[in-house]
Amino acid sequence: MSLFEVRHDWKKAEIEALFALPMNDLLFKAHAIHRESFDPNEVQISRLLSIKTGACPEDCKYCPQSARYDTGLEKERLLEIEKVLTEAKSAKAAGASRFCMGAAWRNPRDRDMPYLTQMVKDVKALGLETCMTLGMLSTEQSQKLAGAGLDYYNHNLDTSPEYYGDVITTRTYQSRLDTLSNVRASGMKVCSGGIVGMGEKASDRAGLLQQLANLEQHPDSVPINMLVKVAGTPFEKIDDLDPLEFVRTIAVARIIMPKSRVRLSAGRENMSDELQSMCFFAGANSIFYGCKLLTTANPEENDDMSLFKRLGLRPEQGPAAPVAHEANSLEEEQALLKKASALNEKATQQFYDAGAL
């Protein structure tokens, strides 16, 4: 008999009751549900690359990439496809099964789309799952990315509807939900979660998870981020969240979204091995791997692998690329890079500082 049913009608009081369980009871329930749907000793690994950094027009109070805050971050132009491919190959060699590409935009513009879709096609040809986070997407943009083969699109809700206005004023909560709807309708998988430790109440953490769990279809991937406080942002001096509350958030996410991958995301640099271990037991089964998440620190790859070895965990093996597209020989890899280089050469005069617009 199954320990859970997939529901989309969670009441906030029900979720708050889960948060209030004694920790041992909560962890036992979450781990039992996790074990029913997933291999408890396998963790999906993703690598995240910033393909366009800084000068974002949004005012998210946690974000060092906002043009409204002086965080010392240097803005960068949209990366050329050849450079993205080099990073993607490195990620695959280091054990990543999914390659995520993020741009500091409110939304991509129509002239961005040919380069973005080509990035997707070329990264997929290396045998990696693909994910992008580019801000809001229209129906047409979602369809174009899906047509290029993009597997996942990330667009976080960040927090509860009630607390959202204290975090962001330049984009509505409904616009985030609309983007998720466009992504799902296009056939792509949804990656959506939030950030805890931003000064929100416990009820807001419950509210965030309620919004995610009550979507028509649960997100395929749910990143749970611990706020990384960056000097120059409005949240740089906010009080730290009790780490056990973070574990509770992971556990409750696992219980109410039993078949989603729950990603232990930003903030791991400041987490002890013991805290991360509790999160894995509570149901986290995905991480970002590598030394940086967009602009903030992340544990080094060797540290992750050392922890995995101590815990008896192993990386999930990603799907292989179709034989017709997989670059198995040096000649094929060189042809792929030559193709990307040709596109970059053609587009040289069209690359621009997207954040300045």
Side-chain angles (χ1 to χ4, degrees):
M1 183 176 177
S2 177
L3 297 173
F4 64 85
E5 60 175 322
V6 177
R7 293 175 49 191
H8 305 272
D9 60 351
W10 285 93
K11 303 294 189 292
K12 193 171 183 180
E14 292 179 285
I15 299 174
E16 289 177 324
L18 290 172
F19 270 98
L21 286 172
M23 182 63 88
N24 285 342
D25 293 344
L26 177 61
L27 292 182
F28 181 83
K29 183 178 181 69
H31 184 74
I33 288 174
H34 178 60
R35 185 174 284 268
E36 187 172 341
S37 293
F38 296 99
D39 184 331
N41 299 311
E42 193 170 77
V43 178
Q44 187 275 325
I45 293 176
S46 297
R47 174 73 70 83
L48 178 61
L49 174 70
S50 176
I51 61 172
K52 192 259 143 190
T53 302
C56 179
E58 305 280 19
D59 69 350
C60 309
K61 292 182 180 177
Y62 55 80
C63 187
Q65 300 208 63
S66 172
R68 298 164 186 258
Y69 314 130
D70 183 9
T71 63
L73 184 70
E74 293 186 11
K75 61 184 179 182
E76 298 175 357
R77 293 174 179 269
L78 185 64
L79 280 186
E80 295 179 353
I81 296 175
E82 189 171 358
K83 293 180 181 178
V84 174
L85 284 176
T86 298
E87 292 292 334
K89 289 196 291 183
S90 174
K92 183 179 180 182
S97 61
R98 188 179 307 162
F99 192 69
C100 304
M101 295 156 276
W105 284 327
R106 175 177 171 81
N107 55 271
R109 296 174 182 267
D110 289 342
R111 58 178 167 180
D112 302 318
M113 298 307 296
Y115 310 111
L116 297 173
T117 54
Q118 190 64 49
M119 281 183 195
V120 171
K121 292 175 183 177
D122 289 349
V123 171
K124 282 185 70 71
L126 297 175
L128 288 161
E129 287 186 319
T130 53
C131 179
M132 281 185 162
T133 179
L134 312 166
M136 296 182 290
L137 288 184
S138 66
T139 299
E140 183 180 3
Q141 289 171 332
S142 298
Q143 291 171 346
K144 286 182 178 180
L145 290 171
L150 187 64
D151 298 295
Y152 289 81
Y153 192 80
N154 166 260
H155 198 62
N156 290 334
L157 296 182
D158 284 352
T159 188
S160 69
E162 294 78 14
Y163 191 60
Y164 184 81
D166 292 303
V167 181
I168 304 157
T169 66
T170 52
R171 183 187 309 184
T172 67
Y173 208 83
Q174 186 59 50
S175 73
R176 291 179 180 267
L177 293 171
D178 290 344
T179 290
L180 295 184
S181 179
N182 291 339
V183 169
R184 184 67 79 186
S186 74
M188 289 186 287
K189 296 177 181 178
V190 168
C191 174
S192 186
I195 307 171
V196 300
M198 297 192 294
E200 75 283 349
K201 299 175 182 177
S203 62
D204 293 311
R205 291 189 284 279
L208 165 66
L209 296 184
Q210 180 190 27
Q211 289 291 318
L212 294 167
N214 286 352
L215 291 172
E216 185 175 346
Q217 185 174 342
H218 291 167
D220 302 273
S221 182
V222 181
I224 305 295
N225 300 273
M226 178 76 89
L227 175 68
V228 178
K229 292 183 282 189
V230 179
T233 63
F235 284 168
E236 67 170 300
K237 295 182 179 179
I238 210 158
D239 290 340
D240 290 338
L241 180 71
D242 180 349
L244 293 182
E245 285 301 307
F246 185 82
V247 177
R248 286 183 181 275
T249 306
I250 294 284
V252 175
R254 168 52 63 222
I255 292 168
I256 68 176
M257 292 175 279
K259 292 187 174 294
S260 301
R261 296 200 180 279
V262 177
R263 177 172 298 137
L264 180 57
S265 200
R268 287 200 304 122
E269 174 73 7
N270 298 319
M271 295 181 190
S272 67
D273 288 350
E274 292 79 10
L275 177 58
Q276 291 188 65
S277 300
M278 288 185 71
C279 290
F280 290 130
F281 186 82
N285 61 341
S286 178
I287 64 169
F288 278 124
Y289 183 57
C291 62
K292 184 178 286 191
L293 296 184
L294 293 180
T295 61
T296 56
N298 199 45
E300 292 285 352
E301 293 162 3
N302 288 343
D303 292 341
D304 285 329
M305 289 301 100
S306 175
L307 178 59
F308 274 27
K309 184 175 181 180
R310 290 162 60 202
L311 296 178
L313 301 178
R314 60 183 177 275
E316 176 185 282
Q317 297 301 307
V323 174
H325 297 289
E326 188 169 5
N328 290 320
S329 69
L330 178 60
E331 291 78 9
E332 287 172 321
E333 287 196 8
Q334 289 175 336
L336 185 61
L337 287 173
K338 184 177 180 180
K339 177 182 176 183
S341 180
L343 182 66
N344 288 328
E345 182 72 22
K346 181 179 179 181
T348 297
Q349 301 304 318
Q350 298 182 44
F351 276 106
Y352 61 97
D353 185 351
L357 299 179

